Amino acid sequence: MALKDKETFYGRLNQKIEKQYLADTDSLKKEYENLAQRNQEIDDTFISLYADKAKGILTEKRFLKLTDAMEKEQESNQKRMQEIASLISEEEQSEGDVQMFMGEIRRYAAITELDETVLNRLINRILIGEPKKVDGVKTQEVRIVYNFVGEL
């Protein structure tokens, strides 16, 4: 299929990957936005607390305690935002992985025998299920996880 109708094959691979990552990416982006908004709220609160401290409404001890807690939360939010940015970047790379897989498929299109080189270039792992007997027929599930695109 990859050779006969490469556009359809590419489309199917892209759809599979998009379904897998789109929901994750959307929720990650939403979480990132929420964390950024929370950090802005903390900055605004910090300014307000400083003003209260300057007016004598808030004691030095209470001010330090509150600001320490807010700074720790901001640091935690920043770390998570960096993790999210990294995850989103990895997910956006998936389309490039599909292109690489298509290139590998074209490269090995005319093979007549699956040798070690081809196996290592195209396949990440092969999962073999337990043998089962269904209606007197022995069956066994075999799942192939390809490099770049995962299981098809």
Side-chain angles (χ1 to χ4, degrees):
M1 182 180 179
L3 295 175
K4 290 180 184 174
D5 191 359
K6 65 181 176 184
E7 292 303 317
T8 302
F9 185 71
Y10 177 77
R12 286 181 62 194
L13 274 177
N14 236 3
Q15 274 184 331
K16 175 202 175 287
I17 289 172
E18 278 183 26
K19 281 181 188 176
Q20 186 177 0
Y21 295 120
L22 215 60
D24 290 342
T25 302
D26 287 345
S27 65
L28 287 172
K29 286 179 180 177
K30 181 82 171 159
E31 183 182 354
Y32 187 94
E33 289 170 12
N34 289 341
L35 290 169
Q37 184 178 9
R38 177 63 184 144
N39 279 352
Q40 184 59 50
E41 289 171 5
I42 290 171
D43 285 340
D44 295 343
T45 303
F46 185 79
I47 292 168
S48 176
L49 287 173
Y50 187 78
D52 287 349
K53 180 185 169 290
K55 291 176 187 174
I57 299 171
L58 195 61
T59 67
E60 178 76 22
K61 185 177 179 181
R62 176 63 72 192
F63 174 78
L64 292 174
K65 189 173 186 178
L66 291 170
T67 56
D68 183 51
M70 290 189 304
E71 285 175 356
K72 286 180 181 172
E73 182 182 352
Q74 264 189 330
E75 286 174 17
S76 172
N77 290 350
Q78 278 302 122
K79 285 180 185 174
R80 179 63 183 151
M81 288 169 69
Q82 288 173 347
E83 290 171 5
I84 290 170
S86 177
L87 289 170
I88 289 172
S89 175
E90 288 173 18
E91 290 179 2
E92 289 173 347
Q93 229 174 356
S94 65
E95 186 166 339
D97 290 345
V98 170
Q99 294 285 1
M100 288 179 75
F101 181 73
M102 292 294 290
E104 292 296 314
I105 289 291
R106 277 189 227 105
R107 182 176 173 190
Y108 295 110
I111 66 167
T112 55
E113 186 178 311
L114 185 63
D115 62 14
E116 185 178 349
T117 303
V118 175
L119 184 72
N120 289 329
R121 292 288 296 167
L122 294 178
I123 298 174
N124 183 315
R125 63 184 176 274
I126 300 173
L127 306 167
I128 310 289
E130 292 290 322
K132 297 177 185 174
K133 217 170 200 177
V134 179
D135 297 329
V137 178
K138 185 179 174 183
T139 61
Q140 196 167 10
E141 181 184 19
V142 176
R143 295 172 31 208
I144 300 173
V145 181
Y146 295 92
N147 286 325
F148 312 113
V149 294
E151 189 175 345
L152 300 177

